[in-house]
């Protein structure tokens, strides 16, 4: 069974209480549970992890090589700052999808830039927690070889 790592970065452990008008009222646990359910329904294994620490996220990406077949990453604010996370994604060379709950392009200018985007198949943003489900669909298609993107 193909396996996906769902990795959430800083402050996403506070989902549900953190600016609910921007990020929604679901907790991370609720989001992760529906992701596992959705992945299972598509015949995929999904492992969830969250960290507030850049190095821990990098370690998790390194460990994904040989363990997982694809990555879904919401790097939170590190999206806009972390060349190290981008390099880690390039280094492990696994298909990855970038997710943001909010539409980062409609927000402050400093959120428009994503280093992560350079190293992923595609970016999904602005659809709230549904974006994670779209990312699972996209990776499932990619891993089955049906997608026309590399
Ligand atoms: C976010 C968007 C980032 O700009 C922000 O720093 C976050 C969450 C999102 O999911 O919309 O922490 O990645």
């Amino acid at each position: 069974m193909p396996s996906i790592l769902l990795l959430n970065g800083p402050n996403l452990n506070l989902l549900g209480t953190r600016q609910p008008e921007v990020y929604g009222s679901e907790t991370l646990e609720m989001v992760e549970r529906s992701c596992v359910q959705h992945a299972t329904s598509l015949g995929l294994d999904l492992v969830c992890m969250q960290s507030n620490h850049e190095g821990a996220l990098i370690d998790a990406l390194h460990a994904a090589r040989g363990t997982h077949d694809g990555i879904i990453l919401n790097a939170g604010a590190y999206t806009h700052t972390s060349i190290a996370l981008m390099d880690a994604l390039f280094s492990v060379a696994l298909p990855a999808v970038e997710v943001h709950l909010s539409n980062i392009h409609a927000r402050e200018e400093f959120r428009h830039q994503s280093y992560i985007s350079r190293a992923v198949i595609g970016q999904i943003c602005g659809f709230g927690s549904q974006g994670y489900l779209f990312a699972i669909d996209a990776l499932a298609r990619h891993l089955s070889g049906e997608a026309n993107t590399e």
Side-chain angles (χ1 to χ4, degrees):
M1 195 190 276
S3 179
I4 294 175
L5 173 66
L6 170 58
L7 196 53
N8 277 292
N11 301 308
L12 291 161
N13 55 313
L14 300 180
L15 277 186
T17 55
R18 173 195 183 197
Q19 295 179 277
E21 69 287 359
V22 179
Y23 298 116
S25 55
E26 279 176 277
T27 64
L28 182 60
E29 199 188 334
M30 289 159 79
V31 172
E32 288 178 342
R33 208 179 307 130
S34 59
C35 286
V36 169
Q37 271 171 13
H38 188 60
T40 305
S41 76
L42 296 174
L44 298 167
D45 187 39
L46 187 127
V47 174
C48 304
M49 192 199 142
Q50 186 275 334
S51 177
N52 294 319
H53 305 277
E54 189 174 14
L57 295 168
I58 292 167
D59 288 343
L61 290 174
H62 291 180
R65 189 160 53 176
T67 312
H68 299 289
D69 302 289
I71 294 164
I72 295 170
L73 175 61
N74 182 349
Y78 289 140
T79 303
H80 319 298
T81 61
S82 181
I83 295 169
L85 270 174
M86 175 190 75
D87 282 349
L89 280 169
F90 277 128
S91 304
V92 300
L94 285 169
V97 178
E98 174 183 358
V99 172
H100 301 283
L101 295 143
S102 63
N103 179 357
I104 56 173
H105 304 288
R107 299 182 62 194
E108 303 97 321
E109 201 157 335
F110 61 83
R111 294 187 204 273
H112 298 181
Q113 153 154 297
S114 166
Y115 286 108
I116 305 301
S117 293
R118 292 171 176 259
V120 296
I121 305 168
Q123 181 195 68
I124 296 167
C125 70
F127 295 100
S129 64
Q130 245 199 324
Y132 291 103
L133 306 181
F134 297 155
I136 293 168
D137 288 339
L139 263 187
R141 241 171 93 77
H142 183 88
L143 293 173
S144 74
E146 281 175 36
N148 57 8
T149 52
E150 275 311 316

